[in-house]
Amino acid sequence: MTLQTEIHTLESMIDELENPDLDLNDAVDLYAKAIKSANIVLKTFKKTEQKLEILQTEAGALLNQIEPPPNG
Amino acid sequence: MTQSALSIYALNLLIKERLLFSPELNNIWISGEITSFKTYPYGGQSYLTLSDKQAQINCVVYDNTLQNIKFKPAAGQIIFALGKVILFPKKGSLIFQIHFMSTQGTGQLSQEFERLKEQLQKEGCFDEDRKKPIPKYPNHIGLITANNSAAMWDFVTIFSRLAPQVPITVIPAVMQGASSVLTLLHALTLAANHPTIDTVIVLRGGGAKEDLTVFNSEELVRAIAQFPKPILTAIGHEIDTSLSDLASDLRCPTPTAAAHYLGQSFYHITHKIIVFLTQTGPRLKNELDDYQETVLNSIKFGQKLLTHKTVLFAQKQSQLLTRLKQANPLHKLQQGYSIIRLKKSNKIIKSISQLQSQDILEIELSDGKCEAIVK
């Protein structure tokens, strides 16, 4: 599941939670699910951020190779 | 003994004197075929060679003699010549000085040449459709010629300049005289059986017409006509065409022309490649620079895009977490609200109509529960 999809799922759950007609029992269950989903989103985001960091470093090195900085 | 020895010059003078006073060698008629004839416009004299089957002699005829005869001497004519034998003492060379001459028609050698030419032509030895194509890019040249001759070096020098990568194997042969036919036939056999030679050339520089007669030998002409590999001939000068030339797959007028013919394709392709590389190098450099620029921009754009997307995701995530926190169903209890359930059914009471007197209620607060009775 992509980060985008995970966020979308979480968002749908929060929308539902915000519904005033939602039964409390259901709200608690849904809240538990939403917390779980939020954790997944946080983990995926963290992983994506790490990947991005590596990519940025590689891209920087590549750029230096193609177009060395003026003093380098 | 040494005191009585003659000098060479004295000897030659003595021979000249004997010749001059020898009636057998003065004012005599001789007959033979003109096998070469050369006129020197400023010398007032012409030189010719008279030949028969066994021998030949060099002759000189002066312009005033030529003006008195009724025909124009040319190679191939049989003539009768009146003259005397003289010796040039300095060189020791003998020459027949012609005072008068008359023609007797086409000579025997010429007749024999024409007869053989006609016969071989009828047999198809000179047919164009049996000639093999000369390879555009030969792999290995077999050069049949006199070893170390000027013709050989002419060919090798020019061809090596045009196609230095193509090996040339010289197969030496005697190119004039009695033994030449045998050595030429042997050289042809060697060239035919050589495993890598794919193009053969028979080469001989210019010379007197009678020196080139070997290339009209029936045996040699047939061997060339039946030769299994592409074969070229470059014999004598441009004006000399032998029967071997007619039988070969291609006749080149001179050794130099043969070298140019065989090497030209290599030269042209090399030249084309050089021009292509010269022109393409800078063009490719520009294209590469453009590509590099595109790659550079793509990487930079990708970096920006990813950073932007990350920021958006982070914002969205933070927004959702805030909303999630607020959507916590227990959050309301902390604000002072409570949840009331009917104890016996555990149902949440949302309306007064759900209640009866003496019903026991369970009240859930943010930090605990308590019970109450409806009155």
Side-chain angles (χ1 to χ4, degrees):
Chain A
M1 202 183 272
T2 62
L3 183 61
Q4 179 85 40
T5 322
E6 281 164 2
I7 284 180
H8 184 69
T9 310
L10 176 62
E11 198 170 20
S12 306
M13 287 182 197
I14 294 171
D15 286 346
E16 186 62 23
L17 273 174
E18 284 170 348
N19 180 4
D21 296 333
L22 185 67
D23 182 83
L24 184 64
N25 276 337
D26 295 341
V28 171
D29 289 347
L30 189 59
Y31 185 69
K33 280 184 188 172
I35 292 290
K36 205 175 169 186
S37 172
N39 270 327
I40 294 172
V41 168
L42 282 170
K43 274 183 192 167
T44 312
F45 186 75
K46 192 125 191 130
K47 275 185 195 168
T48 310
E49 238 181 0
Q50 282 169 350
K51 273 187 202 167
L52 181 68
E53 205 172 312
I54 294 167
L55 275 177
Q56 294 280 33
T57 314
E58 283 178 3
L62 198 59
L63 283 178
N64 281 346
Q65 231 176 40
I66 299 173
E67 194 183 49
N71 295 331
Chain B
M1 185 75 176
T2 49
Q3 283 176 345
S4 61
L6 287 173
S7 71
I8 306 302
Y9 187 65
L11 171 69
N12 284 354
L13 277 180
L14 187 63
I15 296 170
K16 185 184 177 183
E17 200 178 287
R18 290 282 186 277
L19 287 173
L20 198 63
F21 295 105
S22 167
E24 309 90 60
L25 298 172
N26 272 287
N27 282 327
I28 53 165
W29 283 95
I30 60 170
S31 175
E33 180 178 346
I34 301 176
T35 46
S36 75
F37 188 90
K38 285 177 189 168
T39 298
Y40 296 91
Y42 303 110
Q45 61 212 5
S46 299
Y47 289 93
L48 58 142
T49 308
L50 283 181
S51 309
D52 59 22
K53 280 188 173 174
Q54 284 85 39
Q56 62 185 51
I57 189 164
N58 294 325
C59 306
V60 61
V61 58
Y62 291 97
D63 283 355
N64 56 354
T65 306
L66 286 175
Q67 283 159 13
N68 291 330
I69 62 172
K70 294 177 179 173
F71 69 99
K72 196 177 174 190
Q77 292 170 336
I78 293 273
I79 61 158
F80 286 92
L82 176 68
K84 63 179 180 183
V85 176
I86 56 171
L87 183 98
F88 294 114
K90 276 192 177 177
K91 284 190 174 178
S93 57
L94 203 71
I95 200 160
F96 188 81
Q97 188 180 331
I98 297 173
H99 304 312
F100 177 76
M101 53 184 175
S102 68
T103 182
Q104 200 193 38
T106 306
Q108 199 180 342
L109 289 177
S110 297
Q111 279 175 0
E112 175 58 22
F113 176 87
E114 291 301 331
R115 184 201 64 76
L116 185 59
K117 183 179 173 184
E118 199 179 326
Q119 183 192 330
L120 293 171
Q121 204 152 25
K122 276 182 189 165
E123 290 177 23
C125 286
F126 308 145
D127 286 355
E128 287 299 319
D129 56 6
R130 54 146 286 279
K131 289 183 189 285
K132 297 172 283 300
I134 307 297
K136 199 172 177 186
Y137 301 105
N139 290 318
H140 189 162
I141 303 280
L143 180 57
I144 298 175
T145 190
N147 197 21
N148 227 8
S149 60
M152 183 197 94
W153 285 115
D154 279 353
F155 181 89
V156 169
T157 307
I158 292 167
F159 184 79
S160 301
R161 205 162 56 217
L162 296 172
Q165 73 280 23
V166 180
I168 303 169
T169 297
V170 176
I171 305 170
V174 179
M175 301 304 275
Q176 72 180 67
S179 62
S180 51
V181 173
L182 274 179
T183 64
L184 278 164
L185 291 172
H186 181 61
L188 284 172
T189 307
L190 288 177
N193 294 332
H194 194 284
T196 56
I197 286 175
D198 63 348
T199 307
V200 175
I201 174 158
V202 179
L203 203 73
R204 192 205 188 280
K209 193 176 179 182
E210 52 271 23
D211 291 340
L212 304 178
T213 51
V214 59
F215 296 100
N216 297 325
S217 143
E218 184 173 348
E219 215 178 345
L220 181 63
V221 176
R222 285 187 189 283
I224 289 175
Q226 290 157 10
F227 195 69
K229 296 176 179 176
I231 183 166
L232 296 86
T233 47
I235 297 163
H237 295 300
E238 197 160 357
I239 51 163
D240 306 314
T241 302
S242 67
L243 296 181
S244 293
D245 285 324
L246 297 176
S248 72
D249 296 319
L250 183 78
R251 182 234 172 195
C252 293
T254 59
T256 308
H260 277 290
Y261 182 85
L262 285 175
Q264 64 184 352
S265 298
F266 290 102
Y267 177 76
H268 287 145
I269 194 77
T270 311
H271 184 68
K272 266 188 189 172
I273 291 169
I274 291 169
V275 169
F276 176 77
L277 289 178
T278 313
Q279 290 174 349
T280 313
R283 189 167 59 77
L284 284 178
K285 174 81 176 66
N286 286 341
E287 274 180 27
L288 277 176
D289 285 348
D290 288 349
Y291 279 128
Q292 184 167 306
E293 187 69 24
T294 309
V295 170
L296 211 66
N297 289 337
S298 300
I299 294 171
K300 284 178 181 171
F301 180 69
Q303 272 185 316
K304 277 183 189 167
L305 201 69
L306 280 177
T307 310
H308 180 65
K309 250 197 151 60
T310 312
V311 170
L312 283 182
F313 269 107
Q315 282 173 353
K316 184 80 183 171
Q317 184 182 266
S318 162
Q319 204 179 43
L320 285 176
L321 290 177
T322 310
R323 279 179 65 197
L324 185 61
K325 201 175 169 186
Q326 283 167 358
N328 184 345
L330 300 175
H331 188 67
K332 286 178 178 146
L333 301 181
Q334 284 166 355
Q335 289 174 338
Y337 296 96
S338 56
I339 302 166
I340 303 170
R341 291 186 182 84
L342 194 61
K343 192 171 181 184
K344 59 182 177 189
S345 64
N346 205 32
K347 275 189 177 174
I348 290 177
I349 305 300
K350 292 182 181 175
S351 164
I352 198 78
S353 62
Q354 291 176 266
L355 296 175
Q356 290 179 356
S357 180
Q358 298 305 311
D359 274 348
I360 299 171
L361 302 175
E362 194 179 72
I363 302 166
E364 190 177 345
L365 300 159
S366 68
D367 55 352
K369 288 178 182 175
C370 67
E371 287 183 357
I373 299 173
V374 178
K375 288 189 176 173

